[in-house]
Amino acid sequence: MAAAACGTAAAMAQGPTIIELDLLPSPGLRGGEPRAINADGSVVVGWSHAGASTISAVRWNAAGNVEALFDDGVRSLAFATNQDGRYAFGEFRTRDGQRAFRWSEGTGREDLGVDLPSRTRVAWDASADGRVAVGDGGTGTNAWWWREGEGMETLDMPGWDNTTAKAVSADGTIVVGSGWRPGVDEKTHPYRWTQAAGAEDLGVPEPWASAEIRATSDDAGVIIGELKDADGRSRTVYRWTEAGGYVELAVPDGLYDPFLFQLSDDGAIAVGEAVSLAAGSRRPIFWTEATGMVDLQAYLESTGVDLSGWDLIDASAISGDGTAIAGKGNFEDRGSAFLITGLRLPGSCRVDLNGDGMATVFDFLAFQNLFEAGDPRADFDADGALTILDFLAFRAAFDTGCA
């Protein structure tokens, strides 16, 4: 399978293919940091930088177009996009502090609000339709959510302090993050929060001193993050599910110090990075129940994917459908960003909506129920609307089957 060094729609349509992302929106900028991909892998957001103080949020699409989101020289970072890639979310700097934004092509930058005490804001994640964003304000502040038409509000969490909000469910109703429980213990506890029920404390497994959250699945039923000891020097990564609670993810021989960035929408695939003992450098990793934790580059090359000229460093983003992964690497000895498209990793199956590991008639029934309920998980063509085209997209994916 051939590798490509250009961002084109043709490359998106092939089998597993690596694209060198041109995250260079203006002369002088070098290097890119992809941080989020939309549902089908056609939009990537992140940032480019020429130095410590010159950083610009950028957006790339499958036609190979790349743009800086702001043209006013303001330092900015993009951390999230919504399902169809219409919006980007992140933070930008002003004289008044660090502010959270939502960006769209038609509207440009929207400041998400200044109603909270802290001057610091970061938007980490957004709902599928882009109408809900969540974030926090750094040490000593608390988590917030922003709703289109409602503005920004601190999450109502009595008994919690110094909370973060790292992710939100696809429908925008469940926020996940972590925080302190003064009077309970000195650990950092993860939570799931809804406006109706408040914060559900997920606890901290022994003997760990903290459990922090990085990402969640569409329904907030799967969560990934890190478990740390009291001094923060020893850590492991975990996967939490409603059915099974915490499971520490085994790190294979030859890798250590893992870090997970993101999950696919169904929670079946996690991506991140770990240090290779043999290489003495960081490597991109992915995890599925079928494979365990695996070096992404080694796995792809073993299946025949041509990564000639590439030395991958991390896997920082995954598309909602699990078919595209982005990150950083070196291509022909120069630092660059990459997007691998056309993936079908073992153990993942987007059409397995009832979670039995197979594509069966029951998944058709599950899809119909999601569609009738207006659930974003039924938006199989990722256009932000539920139409007959989603039935056609689901049928095409179903015909491909599960790996």
Side-chain angles (χ1 to χ4, degrees), residues 98 114 116-121 137-138 141:
Q98 186 176 331
V114 294
L116 307 184
S118 169
R119 295 194 308 165
T120 302
R121 306 280 183 281
T141 61

Side-chain angles (χ1 to χ4, degrees), residues 16-252:
T17 303
I18 188 165
I19 300 167
E20 183 179 16
L21 293 180
D22 180 17
L23 298 183
L24 309 177
S26 63
L29 288 176
R30 63 180 186 272
E33 298 268 357
R35 291 306 299 266
I37 311 176
N38 73 325
D40 64 2
S42 60
V43 173
V44 180
V45 300
W47 59 85
S48 287
H49 49 89
S53 61
T54 308
I55 302 176
S56 176
V58 294
R59 178 178 181 268
W60 174 96
N61 65 29
N65 299 321
V66 62
E67 59 188 322
L69 301 190
F70 314 135
D71 59 6
D72 52 9
V74 170
R75 181 183 188 273
S76 58
L77 306 170
F79 291 105
T81 186
N82 70 310
Q83 191 171 60
D84 64 8
R86 181 181 312 174
Y87 298 107
F89 298 82
E91 60 97 350
F92 68 101
R93 297 291 176 89
T94 73
R95 291 181 178 178
D96 296 326
Q98 186 176 331
R99 308 286 280 276
F101 73 81
R102 179 177 77 168
W103 174 96
S104 65
E105 192 169 3
T107 306
R109 181 174 65 212
E110 298 175 68
D111 187 332
L112 298 189
V114 294
D115 298 333
L116 307 184
S118 169
R119 295 194 308 165
T120 302
R121 306 280 183 281
V122 181
W124 295 115
D125 197 21
S127 60
D129 61 11
R131 295 178 179 176
V132 178
V134 299
D136 51 63
T139 303
T141 61
N142 286 304
W144 52 262
W145 69 335
W146 171 92
R147 292 169 293 168
E148 188 176 73
E150 302 288 335
M152 183 183 289
E153 296 178 79
T154 301
L155 299 187
D156 185 15
M157 296 178 60
W160 292 75
D161 195 12
N162 199 34
T163 52
T164 66
K166 292 296 184 181
V168 64
S169 59
D171 64 5
T173 64
I174 306 174
V175 182
V176 299
S178 56
W180 297 346
R181 299 297 311 276
V184 175
D185 55 36
E186 296 182 355
K187 298 182 177 183
T188 299
H189 291 237
Y191 69 83
R192 293 194 305 176
W193 178 94
T194 65
Q195 190 174 30
E200 172 193 4
D201 189 343
L202 302 185
V204 183
E206 295 294 340
W208 300 100
S210 69
E212 299 187 7
I213 283 177
R214 294 300 163 193
T216 190
S217 59
D218 257 8
D219 62 0
V222 180
I223 292 169
I224 56 171
E226 305 98 51
L227 299 170
K228 297 181 180 180
D229 61 14
D231 62 12
R233 294 179 181 176
S234 176
R235 74 179 185 195
T236 189
V237 288
Y238 72 84
R239 185 173 184 263
W240 179 96
T241 63
E242 289 182 284
Y246 285 95
V247 174
E248 295 182 27
L249 302 184
V251 182

Side-chain angles (χ1 to χ4, degrees), residues 15-17 296 300 305 321-325 340-345 348:
T17 303
L296 175 67
L300 293 176
V305 180
D321 64 8
T323 64
I325 293 176
I340 301 172
T341 66
L343 292 170
R344 287 191 65 206
L345 297 176
S348 65

